[in-house]
Amino acid sequence: MQVLWAPWRMAYVADKAARGCIFCIALEGDRRERLLLGTTAASLVILNRFPYQNGHLMVAPRRHTASLTALPEAEHRDLAETLRRSIDTVAATFHPDGFNLGMNLGAAAGAGVVDHLHWHIVPRWAAPRATRRPRRPPEAAGARGSCGLVAAAPPARRRARRAHAGRNGVLQRRETAALARLGESCGSGCSGTSEERGARPAAREHRTRARKEGRPTPRGVERADGVRGHRSSAARGSAAREQRTGPRDFWLFLLERGAYNRRTTRGMGAVVQGSETARTLGELKASGYRVVPVREEMRRNLLARLGRKERILPGIIGYDDTVIPDIENAVLAGHHMVFLGERGQAKSRIIRGLTSLLDPAVPAVEGCPINDSPFDPICRTCRRRLTLEGDTLPIAWIGPDDRYGEKLATPDVSMADLIGEIDPVKVAEGRYLADEETIHYGLVPRTNRGLFAINELPDLTEKVQVGLFNLMEEKDVQIKGYKIRLPLDIIIVASANPEDYTSRGRIITPLKDRFDVQIRTHYPHTLDDEITIMEQETPVLDRGVREVRVPFFIKEIVAQITFEARGSNEINQASGVSVRVTINNYESLLSNAEKRAVRTTEREIVPRITDLPSVLASTAGKIELEYVGEDKKDGDLIDRLINRAILKVWDKYLKVEALKKVTDHFEAGWGVEVSDEMPSHEYLEGIRHIPGLREGVGLLGAFETPALMATATEFVLEGLHLHQKLNKDRSGGRYAYRA
Ligand SMILES: [Zn+2]
Ligand SMILES: [Zn+2]
């Protein structure tokens, strides 16, 4: 077993005296603020604000009492049942390998809150072998945390803790965070320290394992923090680490990352809101729950987010001042939206991200294919059941996944796919039209009370466009000549290429009018944003013992190649140059560098200028040339884009005049050979023979390893070549720079 060490709890230990009873306070005021997950007749479930682990819950009776034996029989039973259900929920949500359950009665037993009894539920994960922490030193044994469940701070940490706490009695936030980082939990439950988790490969192995087991991974947390493009990845990392130590993790996973599936949402639904324990219409009515239209629900959730100064759409970079304000306005107004933009501008991702504005769970008639509200069902079966069953009508709590649908439009998409199909034989048998037995509902009705996304809207046939329009406008549709009333509660979000959307005849005018707002997306305005997206979206691969190190100028060149392509009049700009070009080029470059590292048995994977031709394959298929010529042409074009990109980045950091010493040495007869297969140490020869070169490389910053020196050398020389100060000859896979 791992021993839990949760240093962020020190803040709690230090200032708890100043507070009243946390359980009683939790019953008043803002649930979310108080971390209250739910209440039953006699009990409450609350998140631990200073958790030992992700998912650390506490279950307490509503009654403020310290005595377990004095609790009335009914309240005992309620407490036990709530405890059981909470364990089920955490198990379904986080898939822990085990639990610690604990109740500390009295200060001597380690109770933090002495006079209001409560259960702790602490999910636990088995440590992977490589990350198991060493045996505890004997002098640390027996040390206790504040509430008895935590034990054993190693002596060094205890000293640090004492030093911090001793200064003013209360830990500063920064210090708490620093301490927390010492014992940083990896987010999927491993609470070994960074040192003990050892080298990166071990952490990666754990991450892979966590992913395999469907647990939230630390990477997920890092992306959930919603940082902006202008912050460095280092800042992002540390922000994520700080956040990872707080109870907000739990909410981030469940509510914002969408890292839940239908099952966990349903399970969680039992705890998130008190009313969500309702299983029948009668119970729902008793809880006071009110069903609201989806626009109202999204509006309410957006206003709450804005009030908390939280970002919507975390992970979407570069739209803070342009696209996001428009989206917010559209959501507040309850508008149907159409996103216009060229390929690879995160349109689908934005649309999917809007589901984070849906409630984690809403009640629907159990078994209804179109998510009918139990108060006011529209399908015939549900209406009949409501009449027959009344308050005993069973309800199910459905999550955002059940209320989101998307379809890539093609000319093959039919009315049956999107809206529905009727069986004329059954109609002829005299069944009712609005009967599940005669209608097979399509994708749009199945996402009733939610969001439906249609990508590439202009590719829908006119007939289907008319059907869609009727559904949005008239609330009834014609299927095979039968008029069917379908008053759906749905927000339609579409995306389209701007040229297709505006070209005459592609979209029927009434449908175009039905979209209340057009939101224009765009490519990143700055190289920094492009690079941030590139780094965020490039998958972290298992590269064994080898470490990837990419110099800033290589990243800038990759992004600049895409920028050059977007500005080129030889490329069809109406279809655009996707951000995916940048991402895939970066991946190609890393792969080429990795192959070299394997062949030369070097420990570092560092892309070079000579790796750049590898982006040809990942660029060619994603750009459309304006003029179709001989097939050699797109290769030539990409070569030119690469050269222009190198030159632009080079000119930002270097000057030909500053490298006069280098060019002088070349003129004295020296030459340097480079290749994407050459071991890095061979570059050091060249640097030794041409002293000005070392200084030239120094202008770019400190490049301390042979692999980094090699790539910087190539960059300096290639720039001089592109400025026509050096010649470059090719022989086989090798290039020689000479005066
Ligand atoms: Zn109390
Ligand atoms: Zn129904």
PDB file of all heavy atoms in Angstrom, residues 365 367-372 377-383 436, ligand 2:
ATOM      1  N   VAL A 365     -38.049  10.847 -19.714  1.00  0.00           N
ATOM      2  CA  VAL A 365     -38.862   9.642 -19.539  1.00  0.00           C
ATOM      3  C   VAL A 365     -37.985   8.436 -19.870  1.00  0.00           C
ATOM      4  O   VAL A 365     -37.328   8.413 -20.911  1.00  0.00           O
ATOM      5  CB  VAL A 365     -40.092   9.668 -20.474  1.00  0.00           C
ATOM      6  CG1 VAL A 365     -40.895   8.381 -20.315  1.00  0.00           C
ATOM      7  CG2 VAL A 365     -40.951  10.881 -20.186  1.00  0.00           C
ATOM      8  N   GLY A 367     -36.484   5.316 -21.297  1.00  0.00           N
ATOM      9  CA  GLY A 367     -36.731   4.532 -22.505  1.00  0.00           C
ATOM     10  C   GLY A 367     -37.213   5.338 -23.694  1.00  0.00           C
ATOM     11  O   GLY A 367     -37.369   4.787 -24.781  1.00  0.00           O
ATOM     12  N   CYS A 368     -37.449   6.629 -23.541  1.00  0.00           N
ATOM     13  CA  CYS A 368     -37.934   7.421 -24.677  1.00  0.00           C
ATOM     14  C   CYS A 368     -36.797   7.686 -25.661  1.00  0.00           C
ATOM     15  O   CYS A 368     -35.738   8.146 -25.262  1.00  0.00           O
ATOM     16  CB  CYS A 368     -38.518   8.746 -24.191  1.00  0.00           C
ATOM     17  SG  CYS A 368     -38.974   9.821 -25.570  1.00  0.00           S
ATOM     18  N   PRO A 369     -37.005   7.402 -26.957  1.00  0.00           N
ATOM     19  CA  PRO A 369     -35.922   7.599 -27.924  1.00  0.00           C
ATOM     20  C   PRO A 369     -35.615   9.072 -28.180  1.00  0.00           C
ATOM     21  O   PRO A 369     -34.559   9.397 -28.706  1.00  0.00           O
ATOM     22  CB  PRO A 369     -36.448   6.935 -29.199  1.00  0.00           C
ATOM     23  CG  PRO A 369     -37.927   6.941 -29.057  1.00  0.00           C
ATOM     24  CD  PRO A 369     -38.211   6.838 -27.589  1.00  0.00           C
ATOM     25  N   ILE A 370     -36.544   9.969 -27.829  1.00  0.00           N
ATOM     26  CA  ILE A 370     -36.292  11.382 -28.118  1.00  0.00           C
ATOM     27  C   ILE A 370     -36.212  12.216 -26.836  1.00  0.00           C
ATOM     28  O   ILE A 370     -36.520  13.402 -26.838  1.00  0.00           O
ATOM     29  CB  ILE A 370     -37.335  11.955 -29.109  1.00  0.00           C
ATOM     30  CG1 ILE A 370     -38.755  11.816 -28.562  1.00  0.00           C
ATOM     31  CG2 ILE A 370     -37.231  11.279 -30.466  1.00  0.00           C
ATOM     32  CD1 ILE A 370     -39.781  12.613 -29.371  1.00  0.00           C
ATOM     33  N   ASN A 371     -35.721  11.594 -25.772  1.00  0.00           N
ATOM     34  CA  ASN A 371     -35.418  12.306 -24.519  1.00  0.00           C
ATOM     35  C   ASN A 371     -36.579  13.151 -24.004  1.00  0.00           C
ATOM     36  O   ASN A 371     -36.379  14.278 -23.541  1.00  0.00           O
ATOM     37  CB  ASN A 371     -34.203  13.234 -24.697  1.00  0.00           C
ATOM     38  CG  ASN A 371     -32.979  12.523 -25.211  1.00  0.00           C
ATOM     39  OD1 ASN A 371     -32.813  11.325 -24.965  1.00  0.00           O
ATOM     40  ND2 ASN A 371     -32.124  13.233 -25.920  1.00  0.00           N
ATOM     41  N   ASP A 372     -37.788  12.624 -24.076  1.00  0.00           N
ATOM     42  CA  ASP A 372     -38.944  13.418 -23.671  1.00  0.00           C
ATOM     43  C   ASP A 372     -38.848  13.897 -22.227  1.00  0.00           C
ATOM     44  O   ASP A 372     -38.411  13.166 -21.341  1.00  0.00           O
ATOM     45  CB  ASP A 372     -40.225  12.577 -23.812  1.00  0.00           C
ATOM     46  CG  ASP A 372     -40.933  12.863 -25.120  1.00  0.00           C
ATOM     47  OD1 ASP A 372     -40.785  13.992 -25.631  1.00  0.00           O
ATOM     48  OD2 ASP A 372     -41.621  11.960 -25.625  1.00  0.00           O
ATOM     49  N   PRO A 377     -44.237  15.333 -22.340  1.00  0.00           N
ATOM     50  CA  PRO A 377     -43.683  14.512 -23.425  1.00  0.00           C
ATOM     51  C   PRO A 377     -44.334  14.830 -24.770  1.00  0.00           C
ATOM     52  O   PRO A 377     -45.491  15.255 -24.809  1.00  0.00           O
ATOM     53  CB  PRO A 377     -44.000  13.082 -22.990  1.00  0.00           C
ATOM     54  CG  PRO A 377     -45.129  13.196 -22.037  1.00  0.00           C
ATOM     55  CD  PRO A 377     -45.037  14.540 -21.399  1.00  0.00           C
ATOM     56  N   ILE A 378     -43.582  14.643 -25.859  1.00  0.00           N
ATOM     57  CA  ILE A 378     -44.170  14.886 -27.171  1.00  0.00           C
ATOM     58  C   ILE A 378     -44.445  13.603 -27.942  1.00  0.00           C
ATOM     59  O   ILE A 378     -45.275  13.589 -28.828  1.00  0.00           O
ATOM     60  CB  ILE A 378     -43.320  15.857 -28.036  1.00  0.00           C
ATOM     61  CG1 ILE A 378     -41.877  15.393 -28.156  1.00  0.00           C
ATOM     62  CG2 ILE A 378     -43.388  17.259 -27.486  1.00  0.00           C
ATOM     63  CD1 ILE A 378     -41.023  16.287 -29.055  1.00  0.00           C
ATOM     64  N   CYS A 379     -43.738  12.510 -27.630  1.00  0.00           N
ATOM     65  CA  CYS A 379     -44.020  11.313 -28.418  1.00  0.00           C
ATOM     66  C   CYS A 379     -45.257  10.615 -27.860  1.00  0.00           C
ATOM     67  O   CYS A 379     -45.589  10.737 -26.684  1.00  0.00           O
ATOM     68  CB  CYS A 379     -42.812  10.388 -28.496  1.00  0.00           C
ATOM     69  SG  CYS A 379     -42.602   9.269 -27.122  1.00  0.00           S
ATOM     70  N   ARG A 380     -45.940   9.933 -28.729  1.00  0.00           N
ATOM     71  CA  ARG A 380     -47.234   9.382 -28.369  1.00  0.00           C
ATOM     72  C   ARG A 380     -47.132   8.366 -27.229  1.00  0.00           C
ATOM     73  O   ARG A 380     -47.943   8.360 -26.305  1.00  0.00           O
ATOM     74  CB  ARG A 380     -47.869   8.733 -29.597  1.00  0.00           C
ATOM     75  CG  ARG A 380     -49.255   8.259 -29.300  1.00  0.00           C
ATOM     76  CD  ARG A 380     -49.990   7.781 -30.518  1.00  0.00           C
ATOM     77  NE  ARG A 380     -51.311   7.346 -30.096  1.00  0.00           N
ATOM     78  CZ  ARG A 380     -52.331   8.165 -29.974  1.00  0.00           C
ATOM     79  NH1 ARG A 380     -52.183   9.430 -30.267  1.00  0.00           N
ATOM     80  NH2 ARG A 380     -53.496   7.708 -29.560  1.00  0.00           N
ATOM     81  N   THR A 381     -46.105   7.520 -27.303  1.00  0.00           N
ATOM     82  CA  THR A 381     -45.944   6.497 -26.272  1.00  0.00           C
ATOM     83  C   THR A 381     -45.818   7.133 -24.891  1.00  0.00           C
ATOM     84  O   THR A 381     -46.461   6.709 -23.938  1.00  0.00           O
ATOM     85  CB  THR A 381     -44.688   5.654 -26.563  1.00  0.00           C
ATOM     86  OG1 THR A 381     -44.767   5.200 -27.898  1.00  0.00           O
ATOM     87  CG2 THR A 381     -44.592   4.480 -25.628  1.00  0.00           C
ATOM     88  N   CYS A 382     -44.972   8.174 -24.813  1.00  0.00           N
ATOM     89  CA  CYS A 382     -44.764   8.802 -23.511  1.00  0.00           C
ATOM     90  C   CYS A 382     -46.028   9.489 -23.024  1.00  0.00           C
ATOM     91  O   CYS A 382     -46.332   9.475 -21.831  1.00  0.00           O
ATOM     92  CB  CYS A 382     -43.608   9.797 -23.577  1.00  0.00           C
ATOM     93  SG  CYS A 382     -42.010   8.995 -23.739  1.00  0.00           S
ATOM     94  N   ARG A 383     -46.762  10.100 -23.957  1.00  0.00           N
ATOM     95  CA  ARG A 383     -47.995  10.768 -23.532  1.00  0.00           C
ATOM     96  C   ARG A 383     -48.975   9.748 -22.966  1.00  0.00           C
ATOM     97  O   ARG A 383     -49.619   9.976 -21.950  1.00  0.00           O
ATOM     98  CB  ARG A 383     -48.614  11.525 -24.715  1.00  0.00           C
ATOM     99  CG  ARG A 383     -47.808  12.771 -25.096  1.00  0.00           C
ATOM    100  CD  ARG A 383     -48.692  13.877 -25.668  1.00  0.00           C
ATOM    101  NE  ARG A 383     -49.539  13.412 -26.753  1.00  0.00           N
ATOM    102  CZ  ARG A 383     -49.159  13.402 -28.031  1.00  0.00           C
ATOM    103  NH1 ARG A 383     -47.963  13.829 -28.364  1.00  0.00           N
ATOM    104  NH2 ARG A 383     -49.980  12.973 -28.957  1.00  0.00           N
ATOM    105  N   GLU A 436     -44.027   5.186 -32.128  1.00  0.00           N
ATOM    106  CA  GLU A 436     -42.682   4.644 -32.373  1.00  0.00           C
ATOM    107  C   GLU A 436     -42.713   3.475 -33.336  1.00  0.00           C
ATOM    108  O   GLU A 436     -41.753   3.175 -34.009  1.00  0.00           O
ATOM    109  CB  GLU A 436     -42.031   4.163 -31.074  1.00  0.00           C
ATOM    110  CG  GLU A 436     -41.376   5.264 -30.286  1.00  0.00           C
ATOM    111  CD  GLU A 436     -42.409   6.158 -29.667  1.00  0.00           C
ATOM    112  OE1 GLU A 436     -43.225   5.636 -28.899  1.00  0.00           O
ATOM    113  OE2 GLU A 436     -42.421   7.352 -29.987  1.00  0.00           O
TER     114      GLU A 436
HETATM  115 ZN    ZN B   2     -41.223   9.902 -25.575  1.00  0.00          ZN
END
